C-alpha cells in the first residue's frame, strides 16, 4: 500500500510501471528517471486518466492506521490465527514516516531505522530477548548498481518469528484495502499484490547481503493483508508463495539496468525530462491501456502505422510481421508478397476466411 | 482467445463494424415486465453501494442514494428500500401475494440486467453485508432476504448457460465480435457506440473512445469524486456535526444530483443494450428454451424453496450458503458437478441450432462433416443400431478419438460412437460411426457430427455426491472434527 505514491523516492511503482511494458523505451526512460507519464501526456495534449479516488486513498490510509494501532492489536491476532506468527507473538516496531501516521520524520530516517532493526535481528543471540513480532513500513535503499539512479522501497509490513532461531525468520507482508472475497477476489489484483511482495522479498535479500546479514532467514512464503468485506478488520492470506515473484524481480532489475544503460545520455538537470520521454521511441501494446497515461497518443499513432496492436495482443501475435493494411488487403483477395504473408493467408483460410 | 475469434476480429476491423456472432441469438431477453435493470455506484475504496438505480426498460428508474457511502446505517436504510423491489421481482415468498408452489409457477423467467461485471460483484458484496446481518429489527425481514437473494443471484451468475443474471457487456460480447482490444470490451458505452448505426464507420472508434471516458463500472471517475463530491461531503459532515439540518439537506441534495446523474447513465446504457439485442434481427436459438427450464429448476431449488421455509418460520431454518465459502465439501462438490453439467448442456443445446457454433466446434476439432459412403444395419434383436461410413474430404484438427460419443448435428438426441478413424495417404479421413436406432440416411448425403453432451452424467454425479456411501465420501463427508481425531 505504501507504493501508492506516498514518497517520491519509492521505487516500487516505477519498477512495476516498467515491468508492464519493458519493450517501450519511453516507458523505460520514464521509470528510470522518475518522469511521470501523466506529465508527458499533458504536454502532448492528452488528459491523464489514471487518477486515484480521494476516498479510496483515505480508506487505505485509515485501514493501515487501524490495523497497526495499539501495537498491531487488530493485525497480530489475525497473523497468529493464520499461522504466520506463533502464539504469544507481540510487539510492533513502527518505522512509518510522519506523513503516513508514523513517528519518523523522513525517508532517510526510516532507512536508517530499518538498517538498525535488521542489524539487531541479525545479531540476536538469545531468542528470549523481547523483540517485536511486526515491523511496520521497513524502508530499504537497494545497494548501488540496481535500478538507476535511486532505489528506495517501502515494504508494508514484516512479520518476525523468533521461535526457530536465532537468527529470527522474516516474512514479507503486503497490505491492500480491497475485500477478500475468497475465490472471487479479483485474480489480477492478487497477482499485482504478490508481485509487489516478491519485489520486497528480493530487495530484502539484497540489503541483508549488503549488510553481511545473509544468515537472517527470509521465508519464501509471504502473506497478504486484505479487508474483510464491508469492514475495516484485516483478512490475512498466509502461505503466498513468492519465490517466482522474487525471481521475476531479480531478473527485472537486471533487465532494467541493461535497458537503462542503453538509453541515450540524459541529464535530469540540463535536459527537459518530459521532453526526453516524449522524444523516446514507444512500443504500443494492449497492456498500455491499463497503466500508461500516454496510451491514447500511442494508439492514435498505431492506427496510422497499421500496427495490429490496436486490435489487441492476440491479433498482433497472429499477424506477426504483417501490418493491418496488408492483412486487410489479403482478406480482400490480394496476392501475398512475402513468405510471412503466404503463411498468414494459409492460416486465415484454415480459420475459414480469405479467398480459397 | 481462439484463432477463429482472432480472425473474426480482424474481419470486423476490415469491415469497420462489429460482426454478429452466431446465426442465432444465444440468450433470452425477457419481456419488459419480467426484466429488472439494476445499476449501482459505490464510493472509492468501499464495497457497499452509494446509490442504486432500478426499474423496467422504457421506464424512468427509481433512484436511491445516500450522501455518505461509508455510513453503514444510511446504506442499510437505502438497501432495505431497494430490497422489496428485487425480492418481488424474483417472486420471493413473503414478498408476493401468492408465492410459487413449484418450479413451473416461476414462469415466465424473471431476469436481472446489470451494466457490467463490477455490478454483478456488487451482488456478492450485498450478500456479504446482509445475509446474516442483525442490523435493527428490520434486518431479518428485509435485509436478510435481500442478502440471500443477492447471494443466490451472484452464485447463479457464475453458472454456465444461466439466464437469470445478464451483464449487458457480456451479452453484447457474446452476440458480436468487436474490432477492438479485449481490455476495452468491458465498457458498455464503448460497445454500444460501435453498434450505433447513426455513427459513420470511419468515426466509430473515435466516438466509442469518447464514450469510454465516462465511467460505467460501480466506481466513479476519481476526478468527479474530487471535483464535485469531496467538498459537499465535507460540508455535509460539518453541518451534521453542527446540527445545521438545512445545510445538511442542501449538501445531501447536491451529492445526490451527481450520483443520480451517474446512475441514470449506467441504467440508460443497459436499457440501450437490451433494445439493441431485441432489434438485432436474429431469432432466439431454440436451445435457449432448455436453458430457461434448467434456470427455473435452479431458482426453485436454490432460492424459492429455502425462502418458502424461511417465510414459514421453519425451525431449524433452512441451510443458507455462506457468501464466503461452501463450508461443506459435499455441497461444493455437488455445485461443481452442477456447473459442469450446465456448461455441457449449454454448449450442446445451443450448437445444434446455430450453424456458426457448429463451424466453430468443427474448427477446434470437436466435430467433423462428411459424406455418407455406406450405411449398414447392425441391429441384433431389439438392439437397433446402424453403422455409417462417413468420408471427410477437408479434414481439420480433430480431438475426437475411437470410442468418442458423438451426436448428429441438428439432432442432438441421435447419438453414436466412433468405431474407427482412418486417414488416407491423401490426408482424407474416413469415420466409422455406430448410430443408435435404425437410422438410414441415403448414401451420398452430407452429415455432421459433434461431441455428444455428457451433462446427464455430471448431473447424476452432482446428486450422488450427497451420498455418504459412495467412493470419495471419506473426503466429501469428512468433518473438521474427524481430522482432529485422526491427528
Amino acid at each position: 500500500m505504501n507504493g501508492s505514491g506516498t514518497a517520491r523516492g519509492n521505487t516500487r511503482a516505477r519498477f512495476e510501471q516498467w515491468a508492464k511494458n519493458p519493450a517501450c523505451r519511453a516507458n523505460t526512460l520514464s521509470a528510470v528517471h522518475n518522469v511521470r507519464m501523466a506529465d508527458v501526456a499533458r504536454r502532448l495534449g492528452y488528459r491523464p486518466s489514471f487518477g486515484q479516488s480521494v476516498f479510496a486513498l483515505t480508506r487505505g490510509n485509515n485501514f493501515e492506521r487501524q490495523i497497526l494501532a495499539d501495537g498491531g492489536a487488530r493485525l497480530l491476532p489475525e497473523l497468529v490465527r493464520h499461522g504466520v506468527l506463533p502464539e504469544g507473538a507481540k510487539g510492533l516496531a513502527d518505522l512509518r514516516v510522519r506523513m503516513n501516521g508514523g513517528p519518523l520524520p523522513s525517508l532517510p530516517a526510516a532507512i536508517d531505522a530499518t538498517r538498525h532493526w535488521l542489524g539487531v535481528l541479525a545479531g540476536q543471540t538469545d531468542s528470549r530477548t523481547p523483540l517485536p513480532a511486526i515491523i511496520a513500513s521497513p524502508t530499504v535503499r537497494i545497494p548501488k548498481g540496481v535500478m538507476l539512479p535511486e532505489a528506495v522501497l517501502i515494504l508494508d509490513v514484516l512479520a518476525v518469528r523468533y521461535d526457530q532461531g536465532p537468527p529470527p525468520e522474516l516474512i514479507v507482508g503486503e497490505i491492500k484495502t480491497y475485500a477478500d472475497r475468497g475465490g472471487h477476489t479479483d485474480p489480477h489484483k492478487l497477482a499485482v499484490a504478490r508481485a509487489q511482495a516478491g519485489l520486497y522479498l528480493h530487495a530484502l535479500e539484497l540489503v541483508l547481503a549488503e549488510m553481511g546479514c545473509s544468515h537472517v532467514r527470509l521465508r519464501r512464503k509471504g502473506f497478504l493483508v486484505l479487508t474483510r468485506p464491508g469492514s475495516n478488520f484485516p483478512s490475512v492470506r498466509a502461505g503466498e508463495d513468492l519465490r517466482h515473484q522474487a525471481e521475476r524481480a531479480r531478473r527485472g532489475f537486471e533487465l532494467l539496468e541493461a535497458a537503462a544503460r542503453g538509453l541515450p545520455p540524459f541529464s535530469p538537470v540540463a535536459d527537459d525530462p518530459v521532453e526526453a520521454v516524449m522524444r523516446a521511441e514507444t512500443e504500443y501494446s494492449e497492456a498500455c491501456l491499463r497503466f500508461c497515461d500516454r496510451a491514447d497518443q500511442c494508439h492514435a499513432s498505431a492506427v496510422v502505422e497499421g500496427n495490429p496492436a490496436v486490435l489487441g495482443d492476440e491479433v498482433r501475435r497472429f499477424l506477426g510481421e504483417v501490418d493491418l493494411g496488408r492483412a486487410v488487403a489479403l482478406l480482400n483477395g490480394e496476392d501475398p508478397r512475402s513468405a510471412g504473408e503466404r503463411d498468414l493467408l494459409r492460416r486465415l483460410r484454415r480459420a475459414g476466411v480469405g479467398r480459397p | 482467445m481462439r484463432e477463429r475469434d482472432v480472425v473474426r476480429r480482424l474481419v470486423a476491423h476490415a469491415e469497420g463494424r462489429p460482426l454478429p456472432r452466431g446465426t442465432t441469438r444465444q440468450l433470452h431477453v425477457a419481456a419488459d415486465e419480467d426484466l429488472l435493470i439494476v445499476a449501482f455506484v459505490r464510493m472509492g475504496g468501499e464495497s457497499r453501494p452509494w446509490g442504486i438505480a432500478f426499474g423496467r426498460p422504457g421506464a424512468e428508474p427509481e433512484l436511491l442514494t445516500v450522501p455518505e457511502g461509508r455510513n453503514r446505517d444510511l446504506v442499510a436504510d437505502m438497501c432495505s428500500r431497494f430490497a422489496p423491489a428485487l425480492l418481488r421481482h424474483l417472486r420471493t415468498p413473503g414478498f408476493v401475494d401468492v408465492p410459487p408452489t413449484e418450479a413451473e409457477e416461476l414462469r415466465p423467467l424473471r431476469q436481472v440486467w446489470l451494466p457490467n461485471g463490477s455490478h454483478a460483484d456488487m451482488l456478492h458484496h450485498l450478500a456479504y453485508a446482509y445475509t446474516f446481518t442483525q442490523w435493527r429489527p428490520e434486518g431479518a425481514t428485509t435485509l436478510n432476504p435481500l442478502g440471500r437473494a443477492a447471494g443466490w443471484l451472484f452464485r447463479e451468475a457464475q453458472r454456465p448457460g444461466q439466464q437469470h443474471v445478464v451483464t449487458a457487456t457480456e451479452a453484447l460480447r457474446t452476440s458480436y465480435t468487436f474490432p477492438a482490444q479485449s481490455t476495452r470490451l468491458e465498457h458498455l458505452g464503448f460497445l454500444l457506440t460501435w453498434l450505433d448505426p447513426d455513427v459513420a464507420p470511419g468515426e466509430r472508434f473515435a466516438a466509442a473512445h469518447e464514450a469510454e471516458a465516462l465511467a460505467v463500472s460501480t466506481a466513479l471517475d476519481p476526478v468527479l469524486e474530487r471535483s464535485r463530491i469531496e467538498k459537499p461531503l465535507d460540508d455535509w459532515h460539518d453541518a451534521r456535526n453542527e446540527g445545521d439540518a438545512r445545510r445538511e439537506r442542501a449538501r445531501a441534495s447536491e451529492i445526490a444530483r451527481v450520483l443520480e446523474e451517474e446512475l441514470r447513465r449506467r441504467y440508460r446504457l443497459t436499457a440501450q443494450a437490451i433494445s439493441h439485442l431485441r432489434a438485432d434481427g436474429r431469432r432466439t436459438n431454440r436451445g435457449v428454451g432448455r436453458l430457461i427450464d434448467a434456470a427455473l429448476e435452479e431458482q426453485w431449488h436454490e432460492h424459492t424453496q429455502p425462502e418458502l421455509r424461511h417465510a414459514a418460520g421453519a425451525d431449524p431454518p433452512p441451510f443458507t450458503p455462506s457468501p464466503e465459502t461452501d463450508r461443506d465439501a459435499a455441497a461444493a462438490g455437488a455445485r461443481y458437478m452442477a456447473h459442469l453439467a450446465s456448461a455441457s448442456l449449454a454448449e450442446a443445446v445451443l450448437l445444434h441450432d446455430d450453424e456458426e457454433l457448429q463451424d466453430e466446434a468443427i474448427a477446434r476439432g470437436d466435430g467433423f462433416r462428411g459424406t455418407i459412403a455406406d450405411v449398414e444395419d447392425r441391429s441384433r434383436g431389439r438392439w437397433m443400431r446402424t453403422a455409417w461410413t462417413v468420408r471427410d474430404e477437408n479434414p481439420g484438427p480433430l480431438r475426437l478419438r475411437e470410442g468418442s460419443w458423438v451426436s448428429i448435428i441438428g439432432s442432438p438426441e441421435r447419438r453414436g460412437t466412433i468405431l474407427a478413424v482412418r486417414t488416407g495417404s491423401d490426408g482424407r479421413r474416413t469415420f466409422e460411426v455406430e448410430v443408435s436406432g435404425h437410422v438410414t440416411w441415403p448414401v451420398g448425403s452430407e452429415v455432421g457430427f459433434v461431441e455428444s453432451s455428457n451433462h446427464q452424467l455430471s448431473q447424476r454425479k452432482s446428486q450422488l455426491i450427497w451420498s455418504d456411501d459412495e467412493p470419495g465420501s471419506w473426503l466429501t463427508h469428512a468433518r473438521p472434527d474427524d481430522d482432529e481425531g485422526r491427528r
Side-chain angles (χ1 to χ4, degrees):
Chain A
M1 214 146 77
N2 279 318
S4 57
T6 49
R8 190 175 164 79
N10 186 358
T11 319
R12 198 269 307 155
R14 287 159 51 206
F15 174 78
E16 290 301 336
Q17 175 198 327
W18 170 79
K20 280 172 186 156
N21 187 356
C24 177
R25 283 170 76 87
N27 188 41
T28 304
L29 199 62
S30 155
V32 168
H33 296 297
N34 201 13
V35 181
R36 283 160 43 88
M37 213 45 118
D39 296 335
V40 179
R42 265 190 218 101
R43 182 85 66 90
L44 287 163
Y46 289 85
R47 181 190 152 203
S49 51
F50 288 95
Q52 266 195 300
S53 160
V54 62
F55 301 120
L57 283 173
T58 309
R59 169 95 202 274
N61 291 336
N62 287 343
F63 175 62
E64 191 166 320
R65 246 173 231 148
Q66 285 171 7
I67 63 171
L68 296 174
D70 302 325
R74 284 191 184 180
L75 181 58
L76 258 170
E78 274 297 297
L79 291 175
V80 172
R81 198 161 76 86
H82 287 88
V84 177
L85 289 173
E87 287 288 343
K90 59 183 178 185
L92 178 140
D94 192 351
L95 307 188
R96 287 176 296 168
V97 293
R98 277 188 202 132
M99 67 180 286
N100 289 337
L104 300 178
S106 62
L107 272 184
I111 293 169
D112 289 344
T114 304
R115 286 182 76 87
H116 163 76
W117 272 111
L118 291 177
V120 169
L121 294 173
Q124 193 208 30
T125 51
D126 182 355
S127 58
R128 285 168 302 181
T129 312
L131 287 172
I134 299 177
I135 301 178
S137 294
T139 306
V140 294
R141 177 175 282 127
I142 299 176
K144 271 190 174 178
V146 176
M147 194 162 174
L148 303 170
E150 58 180 348
V152 174
L153 290 163
I154 308 172
L155 285 71
D156 280 349
V157 64
L158 262 184
V160 192
R161 287 189 77 122
Y162 303 95
D163 53 339
Q164 287 160 6
E169 184 179 34
L170 308 183
I171 308 162
V172 172
E174 174 72 15
I175 303 174
K176 295 287 174 196
T177 322
Y178 50 82
D180 185 358
R181 297 196 291 137
H184 294 290
T185 314
D186 185 338
H188 176 72
K189 285 182 176 172
L190 287 176
V192 169
R194 287 186 195 114
Q196 291 175 5
L199 174 60
Y200 297 148
L201 179 63
H202 174 62
L204 266 183
E205 278 173 339
L206 290 175
V207 170
L208 287 169
E210 185 230 11
M211 289 174 67
C213 302
S214 296
H215 61 289
V216 174
R217 287 172 299 142
L218 266 175
R219 191 180 279 191
R220 321 304 289 171
K221 287 188 175 174
F223 62 95
L224 304 181
V225 183
L226 311 182
T227 57
R228 283 195 208 156
S231 96
N232 267 336
F233 279 83
S235 170
V236 168
R237 285 180 167 232
E240 295 284 348
D241 193 337
L242 304 178
R243 280 173 302 175
H244 298 291
Q245 297 298 343
E247 177 57 21
R248 165 188 172 272
R250 188 193 65 75
R251 182 82 184 117
F253 275 147
E254 281 177 11
L255 290 171
L256 182 54
E257 285 280 314
R261 278 193 294 272
L263 290 174
F266 171 79
S267 156
V269 181
D271 294 345
D272 175 354
V274 173
E275 183 70 27
V277 176
M278 277 170 63
R279 279 200 313 267
E281 271 180 56
T282 57
E283 179 71 40
Y284 180 59
S285 83
E286 191 170 351
C288 302
L289 295 174
R290 290 188 184 274
F291 78 97
C292 187
D293 282 308
R294 204 182 166 181
D296 281 350
Q297 185 234 347
C298 293
H299 184 95
S301 307
V303 169
V304 174
E305 293 158 7
N307 181 349
V310 298
L311 292 183
D313 292 340
E314 296 98 338
V315 176
R316 179 160 70 170
R317 276 194 293 273
F318 186 78
L319 294 195
E321 296 297 309
V322 181
D323 70 32
L324 265 183
R326 283 301 301 155
V328 171
L330 292 173
L331 283 174
N332 289 335
E334 280 193 24
D335 291 328
R337 295 174 184 166
S338 64
E341 289 190 4
R342 271 192 295 280
D343 176 59
L344 174 62
L345 190 59
R346 182 185 58 76
R347 286 181 289 127
L348 286 170
R349 283 175 185 157
R350 191 176 66 197
V353 297
R355 199 177 57 181
Chain B
M1 203 175 177
R2 291 168 179 157
E3 188 173 88
R4 203 175 161 86
D5 294 322
V6 171
V7 174
R8 288 181 57 78
R9 186 176 288 180
L10 190 59
V11 176
H13 168 78
E15 295 191 13
R17 66 182 179 96
L19 296 180
R21 291 192 75 205
T23 51
T24 59
R25 198 179 65 206
Q26 294 149 31
L27 86 157
H28 175 62
V29 183
D32 279 1
E33 61 271 24
D34 296 315
L35 194 156
L36 187 72
I37 299 174
V38 182
F40 303 97
V41 289
R42 65 176 175 83
M43 186 179 248
E46 297 302 309
S47 49
R48 295 176 201 212
W50 199 358
I52 309 173
F54 55 96
R56 315 264 175 225
E60 274 298 299
E62 193 165 332
L63 301 166
L64 302 172
T65 64
V66 292
E68 172 55 278
R70 291 167 289 203
N71 184 317
R72 288 186 203 163
D73 286 346
L74 292 178
V75 173
D77 268 334
M78 174 180 71
C79 289
S80 58
R81 282 186 285 149
F82 164 62
L86 179 70
L87 295 165
R88 267 197 307 275
H89 179 69
L90 295 174
R91 299 189 180 94
T92 309
F95 291 84
V96 284
D97 297 335
V98 185
T101 56
E102 58 176 353
E104 270 305 300
E105 290 179 16
L106 291 167
R107 281 184 200 279
L109 176 125
R110 295 267 170 96
Q111 287 185 318
V112 174
W113 278 69
L114 304 157
N116 70 14
S118 69
H119 296 259
D121 284 345
M122 183 57 86
L123 295 173
H124 199 203
H125 289 298
L126 290 175
Y128 263 113
Y130 300 127
T131 301
F132 301 112
T133 187
Q134 295 173 353
W135 180 83
R136 302 208 297 239
E138 54 267 46
T141 53
T142 52
L143 289 177
N144 290 164
L146 172 66
R148 292 194 296 266
W152 170 68
L153 285 170
F154 179 74
R155 289 191 301 278
E156 178 68 355
Q158 322 299 317
R159 191 176 62 82
Q162 64 85 24
Q163 301 289 317
H164 276 109
V165 186
V166 186
T167 56
T169 44
E170 178 65 18
L172 292 177
R173 285 198 305 260
T174 313
S175 303
Y176 296 94
T177 299
F178 291 86
Q181 294 137 313
S182 304
T183 310
R184 296 183 188 271
L185 303 185
E186 190 54 33
H187 195 284
L188 184 54
F190 182 87
L191 301 185
L192 283 167
T193 309
W194 266 109
L195 292 166
D196 187 345
D198 294 335
V199 181
E203 292 165 13
R204 279 191 186 141
F205 179 79
H209 184 44
E210 202 174 308
E212 197 181 29
L214 297 171
V216 182
S217 76
T218 53
L220 299 178
D221 182 346
V223 176
L224 183 99
E225 281 186 336
R226 218 168 19 245
S227 62
R228 292 185 61 194
I229 300 185
E230 190 183 5
K231 272 190 188 157
L233 185 55
D234 285 346
D235 200 35
W236 179 85
H237 278 289
D238 292 344
R240 206 168 150 92
N241 292 336
E242 293 160 16
D244 185 344
R246 208 169 129 231
R247 203 166 105 225
E248 189 186 328
R249 276 198 303 276
R251 294 295 87 82
S253 305
E254 208 174 316
I255 295 166
R257 271 197 298 279
V258 180
L259 297 182
E260 286 174 4
E261 211 176 287
E262 290 292 306
L263 285 164
R264 271 203 187 88
R265 184 172 67 249
R266 288 156 174 80
Y267 182 93
R268 194 185 63 240
L269 289 171
T270 312
Q272 277 177 22
I274 293 165
S275 303
H276 190 93
L277 287 164
R278 280 180 178 155
D280 165 81
R282 283 173 284 178
R283 66 176 173 80
T284 304
N285 189 303
R286 280 191 282 271
V288 168
R290 289 278 305 277
L291 300 181
I292 290 175
D293 294 345
L296 292 173
E297 280 297 319
E298 279 289 322
Q299 183 180 1
W300 175 250
H301 290 296
E302 298 295 317
H303 182 245
T304 313
Q305 254 188 351
E307 288 302 319
L308 277 168
R309 297 193 59 208
H310 275 293
D315 187 21
F319 170 72
T320 302
S322 160
E324 190 138 35
T325 181
D326 313 272
R327 301 200 194 286
D328 185 303
R335 289 316 297 164
Y336 173 72
M337 286 299 167
H339 277 227
L340 277 189
S342 298
S344 181
L345 177 73
E347 195 174 330
V349 297
L350 295 175
L351 183 145
H352 286 280
D353 190 33
D354 192 305
E355 283 174 24
E356 200 165 308
L357 293 183
Q358 293 159 17
D359 288 346
E360 279 181 15
I362 290 169
R364 64 175 183 262
D366 289 333
F368 59 92
R369 279 202 184 91
T371 311
I372 300 176
D374 188 32
V375 176
E376 183 190 338
D377 186 359
R378 289 190 186 169
S379 302
R380 276 189 204 156
R382 293 168 64 189
W383 186 14
M384 311 284 277
R385 55 200 181 127
T386 317
W388 293 6
T389 303
V390 179
R391 296 232 167 87
D392 183 357
E393 303 285 326
N394 299 298
L398 186 69
R399 288 172 52 209
L400 302 173
R401 296 286 176 266
E402 289 172 6
S404 293
W405 293 348
V406 288
S407 298
I408 297 177
I409 287 177
S411 308
E413 69 289 352
R414 276 282 171 236
R415 297 190 181 177
T417 310
I418 297 179
L419 297 180
V421 184
R422 288 183 291 274
T423 306
S425 55
D426 55 358
R428 292 173 187 167
R429 284 199 195 107
T430 304
F431 295 86
E432 194 178 328
V433 186
E434 187 175 83
V435 182
S436 55
H438 186 65
V439 191
T440 52
W441 285 27
V443 169
S445 47
E446 294 288 318
V447 65
F449 288 90
V450 286
E451 191 168 24
S452 182
S453 165
N454 62 355
H455 68 277
Q456 291 101 335
L457 192 62
S458 300
Q459 262 168 359
R460 180 91 183 109
K461 283 182 185 170
S462 82
Q463 290 154 4
L464 286 175
I465 218 164
W466 290 106
S467 166
D468 60 4
D469 58 1
E470 293 291 332
S473 61
W474 62 271
L475 179 64
T476 54
H477 288 70
R479 294 279 173 265
D481 290 345
D482 300 345
D483 290 345
E484 288 296 322
R486 248 176 247 156
R487 273 202 290 271

